Amino acid sequence: MNPKVWEASGHVGSFADPLVDCKGCKERYRGDKLLEEKLGVEAAAVLTLDQVQPMLKAEKINCPNCGKNEWSDAKHFNLMFKTQQGVIEGEGDDIYMRPETAQGIFVNFKNVLNTSRMRLPFGIGQIGKAFRNEITPGNFTFRTREFEQMEIEYFVGPNDKKEAFDLWKQAVWDWYTDLGIDETNIRVRQHEADELSHYSTQTVDIEYEFPWGWGELFGLADRGDFDLSQHEKFSSDDLKYTDPDDATSKFLPHVIEPSFGCDRSVLTFLLEAYTEEELENGDVRTVMKFDKRLSPIDIAILPLSKKEHLVEKAKEIHELLLEHTNLVTDFDVTGSIGKRYRRQDEIGTPLCITVDFGTIGEDKEQGAKDTVTIRDRDTLEQKRVKISDLRAEIAEYWKN
Ligand code: GAP
């Protein structure tokens, strides 16, 4: 985006992390993160830039690479990626990759307001890539330099902020727990005053207990009218909202911002879903116990054998589901049925449909003609169902 956007938003001046260099091996680290590992999130969050290096020494936190305790003073390291726009070498404008999706919403605020004629309160949501030159990316997809954000800028009257803040805090908590995050694995943490981002007057994070400790999953900030007033100043454009019931009442809306990391949310859902279960026969099955709305595959159709006429029948059933439902399906014929069930367990597929010789009227012991077996991923229950009832049966399962 145009650099003026990032000057207005405060990111050029303030979007930085405390960088420390190891004088021994020249590796670079985020000083606050090194301290966080030893002292915990709360204690590290309140430290000022000047305190980082003395604390690293006092706490005897050594370089993870070379083991020395020779730290440079901490300095601000701007996290934005800079590049050039324009085709002539050296004559282009400096531009920045967006470090948050939010600013795209603020600079479009007036267009949205004028074209959609919304009344307060209303929100604008966006999902998209964000880029940060993170000093220490890592922990799988927890911290990467290119990631996906899902942000909502929720515009409210200045007096309605508290209510909106509380509403979103609860709604987001419910969203995560409803989708399968165990309540004992998440917590709400209020930011201390000196930890707040440059735009925020109040922030709470929802943190998750990752295998390496508690870390931020989601952030909710009261951005006040900081962004709109900055963009108004820099663009000389009037971004005020006029109360539709009182044309004399013109003001800049305030903003409550729920900001989700998409990748971090996915990582969390993966960690929560991963289960190893010991079966009666002593085998261990690995199963991803996703909420059924999150499973990448909804239903798998598995012909018991590769016999052509059985596969034909299974394909008919597959077609039936493709035509009449919105489910994401898999069709798998390779390997023993047991192996295929395990494969679907590892994907987290909630239901498997097995088409056997009973289905085609060749083996009464397996089941009646024109029936199939539905297997439930979690209970391992198997149920014989008429093909004519299959759609209703599946619809009922998804309704619950
Ligand atoms: N607009 C507000 C904002 O960007 P943030 O706390 O810096 O706030 C919001 O980021 C969310 O984006 C975080 O809660 C986290 O889930 C995700 N996030 C931030 N930096 C990330 C990174 N380097 N890699 C993956 N996810 C990241």
Side-chain angles (χ1 to χ4, degrees):
M1 296 177 85
N2 188 293
K4 284 272 176 260
V5 170
W6 303 109
E7 282 168 37
S9 71
H11 284 82
V12 171
S14 309
F15 192 60
D17 278 340
L19 172 84
V20 287
D21 290 308
C22 168
K23 291 183 185 165
C25 67
K26 312 283 183 245
E27 277 283 325
R28 302 185 126 182
Y29 296 94
R30 259 182 79 173
D32 57 333
K33 292 290 156 198
L34 290 174
L35 288 163
E36 203 177 287
E37 279 165 26
K38 174 125 192 228
L39 309 176
V41 184
E42 286 91 349
V46 294
L47 294 171
T48 60
L49 191 67
D50 301 344
Q51 291 170 316
V52 171
Q53 191 247 31
M55 276 301 259
L56 285 170
K57 293 206 161 175
E59 292 292 332
K60 301 192 171 41
I61 297 174
N62 299 335
C63 171
N65 186 44
C66 71
K68 293 203 172 125
N69 189 289
E70 294 172 12
W71 297 109
S72 69
D73 288 340
K75 50 182 181 277
H76 282 304
F77 177 76
N78 194 294
L79 295 181
M80 282 197 298
F81 280 110
K82 204 193 251 185
T83 184
Q84 293 253 313
Q85 190 180 42
V87 287
I88 299 171
E89 176 84 31
E91 286 187 18
D93 290 328
D94 282 341
I95 55 166
Y96 297 97
M97 312 269 273
R98 63 179 179 193
E100 59 169 11
T101 51
Q103 294 306 320
I105 294 176
F106 294 127
V107 296
N108 275 311
F109 169 72
K110 200 175 170 187
N111 308 28
V112 175
L113 191 64
N114 289 344
T115 53
S116 64
R117 303 172 65 239
M118 297 296 286
R119 279 170 174 257
L120 293 182
F122 70 90
I124 305 177
Q126 192 177 15
I127 175 166
K129 292 284 183 203
F131 303 86
R132 295 184 190 176
N133 195 5
E134 295 285 359
I135 300 165
T136 42
N139 285 334
F140 194 41
T141 56
F142 178 78
R143 184 172 296 108
T144 52
R145 292 191 171 119
E146 174 185 344
F147 56 99
E148 195 94 11
Q149 282 190 322
M150 312 187 287
E151 296 198 296
I152 301 167
E153 306 307 318
Y154 191 67
F155 298 94
V156 291
N159 298 327
D160 303 325
K161 283 201 303 187
K162 190 186 164 337
E163 197 186 330
F165 195 90
D166 293 345
L167 180 143
W168 277 108
K169 190 162 83 176
Q170 189 62 45
V172 172
W173 179 273
D174 293 345
W175 187 79
Y176 277 116
T177 53
D178 185 46
L179 282 172
I181 306 294
D182 193 308
E183 294 216 353
T184 59
N185 292 338
I186 50 173
R187 67 180 187 191
V188 172
R189 191 178 72 80
Q190 175 101 27
H191 280 213
E192 302 289 338
D194 22 10
E195 186 194 349
L196 292 169
S197 308
H198 60 275
Y199 50 73
S200 172
T201 53
Q202 190 194 177
T203 295
V204 294
D205 287 345
I206 291 185
E207 295 184 336
Y208 179 77
E209 192 167 19
F210 290 95
W212 52 88
W214 289 95
E216 178 184 340
L217 170 62
F218 158 89
L220 178 67
D222 174 354
R223 296 181 80 126
D225 63 0
F226 176 83
D227 300 273
L228 289 181
S229 66
Q230 283 292 102
H231 288 302
E232 196 172 62
K233 210 185 308 166
F234 275 69
S235 66
S236 308
D237 216 352
D238 180 3
L239 299 181
K240 290 183 192 62
Y241 169 84
T242 307
D243 185 341
D245 300 323
D246 175 7
T248 61
S249 171
K250 289 185 93 194
F251 58 92
L252 284 177
H254 282 225
V255 171
I256 301 301
E257 177 194 64
S259 175
F260 298 78
C262 183
D263 311 74
R264 272 188 207 177
S265 299
V266 170
L267 177 60
T268 308
F269 291 127
L270 285 166
L271 288 166
E272 286 286 301
Y274 185 88
T275 316
E276 287 178 5
E277 259 179 18
E278 192 167 330
L279 300 172
E280 276 172 15
N281 65 3
D283 283 358
V284 175
R285 80 163 178 146
T286 303
V287 50
M288 296 302 285
K289 292 199 168 180
F290 289 121
D291 180 284
K292 54 187 173 241
R293 290 164 292 177
L294 294 179
S295 310
I297 294 174
D298 297 319
I299 202 155
I301 295 100
L302 313 173
L304 190 64
S305 96
K306 278 186 177 164
K307 290 255 161 49
E308 210 174 305
H309 59 313
L310 198 66
V311 172
E312 275 312 307
K313 187 70 191 171
K315 277 189 181 160
E316 252 176 54
I317 294 167
H318 189 199
E319 286 299 323
L320 181 88
L321 296 181
L322 287 179
E323 201 174 320
H324 295 285
T325 71
N326 290 323
L327 300 174
V328 180
T329 59
D330 189 18
F331 189 90
D332 189 5
V333 282
T334 41
S336 73
I337 190 71
K339 277 213 178 105
R340 280 181 277 158
Y341 281 150
R342 292 287 166 276
R343 205 179 290 151
Q344 295 301 332
D345 287 344
E346 287 175 12
I347 296 169
T349 310
L351 294 181
C352 288
I353 295 177
T354 314
V355 180
D356 55 26
F357 292 97
T359 315
I360 52 174
E362 289 184 6
D363 186 342
K364 283 208 180 89
E365 294 215 339
Q366 287 189 347
K369 187 164 185 290
D370 290 328
T371 63
V372 291
T373 299
I374 301 186
R375 172 194 183 262
D376 185 293
R377 177 196 70 197
D378 297 335
T379 63
L380 294 178
E381 246 170 40
Q382 302 204 6
K383 193 172 169 186
R384 204 71 193 179
V385 175
K386 284 189 192 156
I387 296 174
S388 52
D389 293 340
L390 198 53
R391 277 163 54 198
E393 194 66 45
I394 292 169
E396 187 60 27
Y397 174 83
W398 252 270
K399 204 168 81 191
N400 295 327

